[in-house]
Amino acid sequence: MKQKKNGQSGTAWRPVVPGLDRHIRRRVWAFAGCLAVLCFGGLLVRLFVLQLLDPGGYAARAADQQLRDTVVPAPRGEIYSADGTLLAASETCWTIRAAPQELADELVEPAAKALSEILEIDEAETLEKFSQRSSNDCLLRRRVDRETADAVRRWCEENGAEGIQIRQDTRRVYPQGDSMGCLLGFTDVDNAGLWGLELEYNEALTGENGRVLTAKNAWGYDMPEEYSTLIEAVPGSSLTLTIDANIQHMLEGALSAAVAEHHVAARGVGIVMDVQTGAILAMTTKPDYDPNDPRTIVDEEVRAQVNALSGEERSQALQVAQQAQWRNKAISDLYEPGSVFKLITCSAALDTGAVTPESQFVCAGKINVSGTTFRCANGHIHGLETLAQGLAASCNPCFIQVGARLGKQAFCDYFAAFGLREATGIDLPGEIKRSEYYTADRMGPVMYFGP
Ligand SMILES: [Zn+2]
């Protein structure tokens, strides 16, 4: 008491010099401040980093532990012909997956047996998947129909099996069967375009997948439905072609008959184009494959040859045969024109004024050019004829004379002006970019390619 009353100088540790007391106090405060900065500064910096610089990092990791993210596949856009016929559509189906860690131990074997039977999958492989007890996700079978999915659901309910997931999915279907396989193409297991229009317009046809976020409890199991969030899937855009289904049907019928009649070995091809706009009204390659089942070889002979092989040799041969049947001959193969080219020669000659529709020519059944004799087709002798008559009869001597009047330079200029040196740029994948032609400097008076 006394010491306290007597004031500062009475305390043993207090400094004798008055100024020194304040000095030490400041140092103590400074020391405490430094300590605080050292202790909490690190935390503040960390807080700053977490809150402002990396706001998503920890949240995302936490969400990953607490949420199950299930993709809801977006339906792919439909493809229609110009007249509204449905050519490609998406059908609802179900994909069966499993989270083995949620399946009760005593159900591992019975589930493997029952589900492999229902899903027509390998029992040993399924058992192997279920035996990985910590596994959270494995695929059992993609895209099964309603009946199969219901059978799976029934078995799980009757046996109280948990962890078997029946997820809604979509599957591509082509209602017209083997019509337009080469044109439409097809999709891969993930519903992405792999060939034809499906590939060319993949981005537009593909929608945006939705998601179901389901809260998981500490064990990783799904929480009740009120903890789930649905992000709706956005369907892909649909595509309407210039193809007219009726014209397409007629072209396919006629071409199939012609291919059969003439025993065509390397497939027949046909295109119907609107001459005013260049729009493709029909396009086909016969025989054509069914896009619902593109991997099966259509040609029976080729299929037998492939199946006679085994191992690596077979898979290579199968791949070659598939690539060949998927090829759209109408745009991927070079076409060597015959008499149809008379139209180009005629247009050029009319346009330059070298001839008029009434210009007269003589067909004596043959014509000699620089020592080489050319004959009119099928032994015809057309006699005196106008250009119009010569074109209607596809007379060879008439058009040899038209070509001579036009001249090789003008002929080549028009060949280029018609765009025959380049690809058409059609909106289909796999168009051949190469063209084969003679330039004027390589042309003699006789250009004779065959019989
Ligand atoms: Zn003739």
Side-chain angles (χ1 to χ4, degrees):
M1 285 300 283
K2 195 180 172 213
Q3 273 180 342
K4 265 189 183 172
K5 212 174 179 179
N6 284 353
Q8 296 157 341
S9 58
T11 315
W13 57 270
R14 284 198 182 276
V16 182
V17 184
L20 198 61
D21 181 37
R22 276 198 301 278
H23 179 66
I24 288 180
R25 251 186 223 195
R26 271 206 303 273
R27 282 179 64 180
V28 167
W29 276 114
F31 178 71
C34 282
L35 207 62
V37 166
L38 275 175
C39 293
F40 297 109
L43 286 176
L44 281 172
V45 169
R46 189 80 190 116
L47 198 63
F48 173 76
V49 168
L50 287 179
Q51 289 292 316
L52 298 172
L53 301 183
D54 183 29
Y58 270 82
R61 274 161 65 182
D64 192 45
Q65 284 169 7
Q66 294 153 10
L67 295 172
R68 180 198 297 283
D69 193 351
T70 310
V71 171
V72 179
R76 196 170 167 80
E78 283 108 0
I79 304 179
Y80 296 96
S81 65
D83 56 308
T85 305
L86 183 62
L87 305 179
S90 286
E91 191 181 68
T92 299
C93 59
W94 287 267
T95 286
I96 316 295
R97 306 188 75 93
Q101 62 163 240
E102 296 173 29
L103 188 65
D105 289 337
E106 65 275 16
L107 281 175
V108 166
E109 274 185 43
K113 186 172 189 315
L115 295 182
S116 59
E117 261 170 42
I118 297 170
L119 297 171
E120 294 171 350
I121 51 176
D122 191 75
E123 189 183 329
E125 255 177 53
T126 311
L127 184 61
E128 167 74 31
K129 284 177 185 171
F130 289 170
S131 300
Q132 295 185 359
R133 307 300 295 132
S134 59
S135 165
N136 198 25
D137 182 43
C138 65
L139 175 70
L140 297 183
R141 181 144 183 217
R142 275 182 205 277
R143 308 202 171 96
V144 298
D145 55 22
R146 179 71 190 248
E147 212 172 275
T148 311
D150 282 348
V152 170
R153 187 176 291 117
R154 253 197 320 275
W155 188 89
C156 292
E157 281 168 4
E158 283 165 9
N159 294 276
E162 296 204 7
I164 307 298
Q165 294 147 11
I166 300 167
R167 295 188 189 171
Q168 194 176 319
D169 205 342
T170 61
R171 170 170 53 198
R172 205 62 168 154
V173 286
Y174 304 91
Q176 308 299 316
D178 67 357
S179 166
M180 291 182 257
C182 277
L183 198 61
L184 296 172
F186 51 92
T187 56
D188 64 11
V189 287
D190 297 315
N191 276 339
L194 201 62
W195 215 269
L197 287 164
E198 292 275 28
L199 173 63
E200 182 77 17
Y201 285 98
N202 188 46
E203 212 180 304
L205 290 165
T206 306
E208 223 173 286
N209 286 345
R211 291 158 75 192
V212 180
L213 290 172
T214 313
K216 287 192 285 191
N217 65 16
W219 297 97
Y221 297 171
D222 288 355
M223 301 265 282
E225 256 178 37
E226 58 262 33
Y227 295 103
S228 67
T229 308
L230 172 69
I231 300 166
E232 296 269 7
V234 183
S237 305
S238 64
L239 189 65
T240 299
L241 311 182
T242 55
I243 299 287
D244 182 303
N246 297 310
I247 299 174
Q248 178 76 20
H249 186 68
M250 284 188 268
L251 175 67
E252 287 183 15
L255 193 66
S256 292
V259 164
E261 189 186 334
H262 299 284
H263 308 288
V264 173
R267 299 188 298 164
V269 60
I271 301 171
V272 179
M273 186 189 271
D274 181 336
V275 291
Q276 304 296 336
T277 62
I280 305 294
L281 303 175
M283 177 186 276
T284 189
T285 301
K286 285 289 170 194
D288 201 354
Y289 65 91
D290 183 348
N292 293 296
D293 183 20
R295 288 178 171 77
T296 296
I297 302 299
V298 176
D299 190 308
E300 284 174 20
E301 232 171 87
V302 177
R303 193 167 64 227
Q305 282 168 7
V306 170
N307 288 336
L309 302 168
S310 61
E312 182 60 22
E313 218 178 5
R314 182 182 182 277
S315 53
Q316 269 186 13
L318 180 64
Q319 214 178 349
V320 169
Q322 285 172 338
Q323 298 274 340
Q325 85 171 7
W326 294 340
R327 196 177 162 88
N328 183 352
K329 192 177 164 124
I331 58 155
S332 299
D333 289 11
L334 266 188
Y335 169 69
E336 189 183 352
S339 282
V340 293
F341 208 80
K342 286 188 173 102
L343 291 168
I344 305 287
T345 311
C346 186
S347 312
L350 286 170
D351 200 50
T352 55
V355 295
T356 68
E358 291 74 37
S359 297
Q360 292 202 319
F361 300 91
V362 175
C363 166
K366 58 184 178 182
I367 186 168
N368 189 289
V369 184
S370 300
T372 304
T373 300
F374 296 91
R375 298 188 177 279
C376 201
N378 303 318
H380 281 301
I381 301 170
H382 292 106
L384 186 67
E385 59 191 344
T386 61
L387 174 73
Q389 288 167 330
L391 182 65
S394 191
C395 174
N396 289 343
C398 170
F399 271 82
I400 286 169
Q401 294 166 72
V402 173
R405 284 198 203 175
L406 177 63
K408 65 179 181 180
Q409 190 55 57
F411 177 86
C412 290
D413 291 347
Y414 275 88
F415 185 95
F418 269 110
L420 296 169
R421 291 183 175 192
E422 303 136 36
T424 64
I426 189 170
D427 49 350
L428 277 169
E431 187 187 9
I432 188 161
K433 300 281 184 269
R434 180 172 59 92
S435 177
E436 284 178 9
Y437 53 89
Y438 281 85
T439 44
D441 56 313
R442 291 175 61 211
M443 250 183 218
V446 175
M447 295 299 293
Y448 187 52
F449 299 106

